[in-house]
Amino acid sequence: MKHYGQERTRRTRAAQSDAFAAPFAAEIPNALWDNCWLPTKRFNNFETFSLTGAAEVPCGVSICVAEEVARLFNARRADTGSPGGALSLCVKPGLPEEGYELSLQGNACEIVSGSEAGLLYGLYALARLLTLGETEARRLLSSAPRNDIRMIDHWDEFSGECGRGYSGKSIFYEGNQFRGDYGRLEDYARLLASIGINAVSINNVNVSRAEIAFLRPPHLLNVKRIAEIFIKYNIRLFLAVNFASPYVLGELDTADPLEPAVQEWWNAAVKKVYEQIPFFGGFIVKADSEGEPGPFAYSRTHAEGANMLARALAPFGGIIIWRCFVYNCRQDWRDRSIDRARSAFDTFKPHDGEFLENVILQAKFGPIDFQIREPVSPLFGAMPRTNMLIEMQITQEYTGQQQHICYLAPQWKEVLDFDTYADGKGSVASKIVGNAGGRPRGRGGMAAVGSVGGDANWTGHKLAQANWYAFGRLCWDPALGADEILREWIRLTFGLAAEDEDALFNLMKDSRETYEQYTVPLGVGFMCKPHFHYGPDVDGYEYDRWGTYHFADRDGIGNDRTRTTGTGFCGQYFEPNASMYDNLATCPDDLLLFFHHVPYTHVLQSGKTVIQHIYDTHFEGFERVLSMAEEWKRFKGKIRPEDYENVAQRLEEQVRCAREWRDQVNTYFYRKSGIADAKGRVIYR
């Protein structure tokens, strides 16, 4: 499978005088699935390479480094320890373990790092520069990750289904068995490492009885085999575990974390895992959430629950990633005093400083659930004595399910750049979770629910690969721009002519805004089909138990979360954010209905009324999708036929679905408000 025109990027053509802009050599042997952004032809720049200072052990990263040199650069190895190779790779103690320094001099290149992992990342950076044709401008490059943990969470089930997955079946499991497709898992690990991912969880956080068995042979031996593949690429494997495992298995009559028998059960379970997998990363836990068991069942705190597991893991260097997605999922819609948005803060904030050093709390970026628009969770910055991970969602559960083009990096950048004011101005979210945040315990980073499945292109929608790529790049460096990353991905993936590259960039860069326009307005959230979370159903969750209400009536819409008349959620933020959200005059338009209940005639800062904004954005969003579908036709014959057809078919569905969103939402609010569209467009009454 070839990457159409990969060797023809704009900058490569412009840099033919650069010694490193040499043509590709032989094609890299390909499997039956997509290479995504990685090159499919070997570079012909180096005849030899040397690798010094590396510890070459079985399953070690140094073995992978040597393999990647051969795979990417077609170079033969010089004598071990010889610095004479045209490509020199050297581990030097004292340098950042995952960072690298890359220097290009004449026809030679040197990459140095504090560990073999950094050399691997440096190799991928070199391949990226060569493909982009940027070696002349960037002959000296020093880079290190800004986040310690850079993680993909799989919600794959042992049955082979992927929870909230839209890209085919699991690449790990099939029919309650491990698939054993190790070649594909190796290529997956390689793709992850090429964007800097260093941790992966391979099973759903809603852990079934069958998946509890992963902690023991024979299934543990399959987990070991997968872990050995990932660790070659500096990726530690994690398992999601059921908090009540000893009780669910019937081996104890309790899962109380303060019971000595429960503690001993977990101590023994963890020991068995590390006997097989000494480089095992640890556990991820969803507790007291959406029916999953947790410490609340025993009147224990989440700190007590997490710490019990953390103590079992600590002797082996393992960590507990404890999810903060805890809320009342049996809410009475009649009771407006209950606010799902408050839940994570109210549950965890009082226990700041009580969690052990090897516990990391993982909080979703917003207080609800991966909506196309919601505020940044007030939990970030509120727990300075606790390790934190910020959780994104690559899989498009609420953003089009890989049927719609929706480039999510602009959303993630808004989140990472959000100033919490936790320690004064400049306390942005990326610093709070990143390794520049001054955390006393020094552990944090970014995680995301992954989008990968068994489809040949990994992500179902070819263009959805951009979100996967962007997440990894932002994990490594949150200062990168969303547009910069998108340009980079397009060039690495397609190698289009300049005018076509610009056209694809323009088609994708505002697609998140387009999706927001034709779906849910002004931060109100949901309005989608219950359970499936795809397609419009304005009242689908309105009288349900999940706490995701818009409270639309004949006069107005929105959720009053103010401190004076509402749930008080605004008060969970630091100033000046608390007052900004609390005040109707200063609350940003795009979050107005998240924080306030207002009349349909309320005038936004944009000068439009709420109802006219709803009408205008839904008509405009649909028209933008029509334009996207028309614009895509220009790429026929310019990219691989299978990629063209893949996107074209999904754009047909996006047009259909956007029309339904437009008409159902506009009709709903016309019938509620009785206020006509000022522009006289067709609304079905």
Side-chain angles (χ1 to χ4, degrees):
M1 182 180 290
K2 298 175 72 174
H3 265 52
Y4 186 89
Q6 180 136 32
E7 70 277 18
R8 297 175 58 244
T9 65
R10 171 166 57 185
R11 293 194 181 186
T12 301
R13 292 197 308 273
Q16 291 301 313
S17 60
D18 184 354
F20 284 91
F24 288 96
E27 217 173 88
I28 298 172
N30 284 305
L32 299 176
W33 40 85
D34 202 333
N35 283 289
C36 301
W37 50 84
L38 285 175
T40 58
K41 293 184 179 180
R42 293 184 176 94
F43 298 98
N44 202 21
N45 302 88
F46 310 111
E47 292 185 3
T48 61
F49 78 96
S50 63
L51 177 59
T52 59
E56 300 189 31
V57 297
C59 297
V61 179
S62 62
I63 304 299
C64 184
V65 169
E67 291 173 352
E68 279 300 276
V69 173
R71 190 169 187 174
L72 290 170
F73 299 103
N74 207 34
R76 60 179 177 81
R77 188 164 183 174
D79 292 338
T80 302
S82 169
L87 175 59
S88 174
L89 308 169
C90 182
V91 173
K92 292 184 178 180
L95 295 176
E97 289 194 357
E98 291 189 306
Y100 57 85
E101 295 177 0
L102 187 157
S103 62
L104 300 167
Q105 298 177 354
N107 290 322
C109 176
E110 180 183 49
I111 302 174
V112 297
S113 175
S115 76
E116 295 87 345
L119 296 182
L120 184 64
Y121 296 137
L123 283 174
Y124 290 129
L126 176 59
R128 185 166 59 245
L129 292 176
L130 287 166
T131 305
L132 296 173
E134 294 181 349
T135 51
E136 185 66 34
R138 307 186 73 176
R139 288 188 167 271
L140 293 174
L141 178 63
S142 179
S143 185
R146 294 285 302 276
N147 289 289
D148 305 315
I149 297 173
R150 308 176 300 278
M151 187 170 189
I152 297 290
D153 294 335
H154 281 266
W155 285 357
D156 294 29
E157 299 166 5
F158 202 28
S159 65
E161 299 298 320
C162 294
R164 303 306 179 189
Y166 315 104
S167 311
K169 302 292 186 179
S170 171
I171 60 174
F172 298 103
Y173 320 112
E174 182 177 16
N176 292 319
Q177 298 292 329
F178 286 79
R179 288 179 55 85
D181 192 349
Y182 300 126
R184 182 152 201 187
L185 294 183
E186 177 107 17
D187 280 1
Y188 178 51
R190 185 172 181 250
L191 285 164
L192 293 178
S194 73
I195 53 175
I197 298 298
N198 68 355
V200 63
S201 175
I202 64 169
N203 63 308
N204 199 316
V205 290
N206 299 319
V207 183
S208 72
R209 182 187 180 95
E211 288 146 7
I212 295 173
F214 289 4
L215 299 174
R216 297 171 174 172
H219 291 325
L220 180 58
L221 302 181
N222 291 294
V223 174
K224 175 184 179 180
R225 180 69 181 89
I226 296 171
E228 288 173 345
I229 291 171
F230 281 115
I231 199 63
K232 280 178 53 181
Y233 292 87
N234 193 46
I235 300 168
R236 292 192 178 273
L237 185 142
F238 287 70
L239 288 175
V241 295
N242 187 311
F243 179 79
S245 291
Y247 176 80
V248 173
L249 293 177
E251 296 176 6
L252 295 175
D253 60 4
T254 181
D256 184 344
L258 300 192
E259 279 289 330
V262 174
Q263 296 167 7
E264 286 303 314
W265 190 96
W266 281 106
N267 290 341
V270 167
K271 183 180 179 182
K272 288 180 181 177
V273 172
Y274 278 93
E275 285 174 350
Q276 294 294 331
I277 314 171
F279 42 81
F280 182 68
F283 297 145
I284 181 168
V285 181
K286 176 182 179 180
D288 291 316
S289 175
E290 299 182 329
E292 293 301 301
F296 282 172
Y298 305 96
S299 300
R300 310 303 186 192
T301 69
H302 278 252
E304 290 170 324
N307 289 345
M308 180 270 292
L309 292 169
R311 290 188 186 97
L313 287 161
F316 307 97
I319 64 175
I320 280 289
I321 297 175
W322 191 271
R323 298 182 83 234
C324 298
F325 189 52
V326 178
Y327 69 97
N328 178 4
C329 66
R330 297 189 178 278
Q331 186 171 332
D332 185 347
W333 59 268
R334 302 167 185 84
D335 185 355
R336 291 204 182 192
S337 67
I338 303 173
D339 185 1
R340 174 171 166 175
R342 293 186 56 102
S343 186
F345 188 99
D346 289 342
T347 300
F348 289 95
K349 166 63 177 172
H351 303 290
D352 184 32
E354 297 178 12
F355 294 91
L356 294 177
E357 291 185 2
N358 62 327
V359 176
I360 306 177
L361 297 187
Q362 179 171 302
K364 294 188 178 186
F365 72 81
I368 299 294
D369 192 10
F370 300 132
Q371 296 301 289
I372 191 66
R373 177 75 64 180
E374 59 180 299
V376 175
S377 171
L379 206 56
F380 297 110
M383 302 186 69
R385 296 180 295 162
T386 303
N387 298 317
M388 296 287 294
L389 278 171
I390 194 166
E391 183 180 9
M392 310 298 191
Q393 191 177 49
I394 304 172
T395 192
Q396 293 174 233
E397 178 182 357
Y398 295 101
T399 55
Q401 299 191 357
Q402 276 103 280
Q403 294 293 318
H404 297 217
I405 299 171
C406 188
Y407 178 53
L408 292 170
Q411 180 187 59
W412 300 335
K413 279 293 293 180
E414 291 171 6
V415 171
L416 295 169
D417 293 345
F418 176 76
D419 198 338
T420 68
Y421 289 90
D423 192 27
K425 187 174 176 59
S427 304
V428 296
S430 63
K431 290 183 179 179
I432 288 169
V433 300
N435 57 24
R439 296 184 315 278
R441 296 178 177 177
R443 288 180 174 174
M446 294 170 60
V449 184
S451 60
V452 162
D455 285 358
N457 67 11
W458 302 92
T459 55
H461 197 307
K462 173 67 178 180
L463 301 187
Q465 290 177 5
N467 290 327
W468 178 16
Y469 181 83
F471 175 76
R473 297 289 283 136
L474 286 172
C475 282
W476 187 274
D477 185 0
L480 293 173
D483 287 359
E484 174 186 1
I485 293 170
L486 180 58
R487 285 276 189 194
E488 189 175 276
W489 175 79
I490 290 171
R491 288 173 180 165
L492 293 173
T493 303
F494 295 110
L496 296 164
E499 61 273 16
D500 291 319
E501 177 190 303
D502 290 342
L504 183 53
F505 173 80
N506 290 328
L507 186 150
M508 293 183 66
K509 74 182 183 70
D510 295 326
S511 54
R512 178 263 186 133
E513 178 184 321
T514 299
Y515 185 86
E516 183 179 17
Q517 284 183 314
Y518 64 78
T519 55
V520 288
L522 302 172
V524 74
F526 284 82
M527 295 186 173
C528 56
K529 291 187 184 300
H531 179 70
F532 300 103
H533 300 164
Y534 185 82
D537 190 345
V538 181
D539 278 342
Y541 278 110
E542 193 61 16
Y543 305 100
D544 213 327
R545 61 189 177 94
W546 300 97
T548 55
Y549 312 127
H550 55 67
F551 297 118
D553 56 30
R554 67 179 183 178
D555 299 316
I557 181 176
N559 204 322
D560 186 352
R561 292 186 164 106
T562 63
R563 291 173 286 190
T564 52
T565 59
T567 67
F569 171 72
C570 291
Q572 293 184 341
Y573 289 90
F574 292 95
E575 292 291 358
N577 291 331
S579 293
M580 175 185 68
Y581 291 138
D582 207 39
N583 188 332
L584 192 58
T586 57
C587 183
D589 280 351
D590 56 17
L591 289 170
L592 183 73
L593 300 185
F594 189 95
F595 288 104
H596 296 272
H597 186 92
V598 298
Y600 295 113
T601 54
H602 173 78
V603 178
L604 301 169
Q605 295 174 35
S606 68
K608 294 182 180 181
T609 62
V610 167
I611 191 66
Q612 194 59 45
H613 173 90
I614 291 172
Y615 294 153
D616 286 352
T617 52
H618 283 79
F619 280 113
E620 181 181 342
F622 175 69
E623 292 300 322
R624 287 171 72 165
V625 174
L626 287 179
S627 296
M628 291 163 67
E630 185 63 29
E631 182 69 3
W632 182 250
K633 294 176 183 178
R634 73 178 292 154
F635 298 104
K636 190 169 187 177
K638 298 176 181 178
I639 63 174
R640 298 185 311 172
E642 58 265 45
D643 291 337
Y644 176 82
E645 292 299 329
N646 170 269
V647 177
Q649 291 170 9
R650 282 159 176 75
L651 275 167
E652 288 182 14
E653 166 57 18
Q654 188 170 0
V655 169
R656 184 207 64 79
C657 193
R659 180 184 288 113
E660 284 300 311
W661 272 103
R662 179 199 68 185
D663 292 343
Q664 289 193 34
V665 171
N666 283 345
T667 297
Y668 178 92
F669 285 106
Y670 172 75
R671 291 176 178 175
K672 281 283 186 181
S673 69
I675 300 172
D677 173 28
K679 298 178 182 178
R681 292 163 292 195
V682 174
I683 294 178
Y684 298 90
R685 304 184 179 188

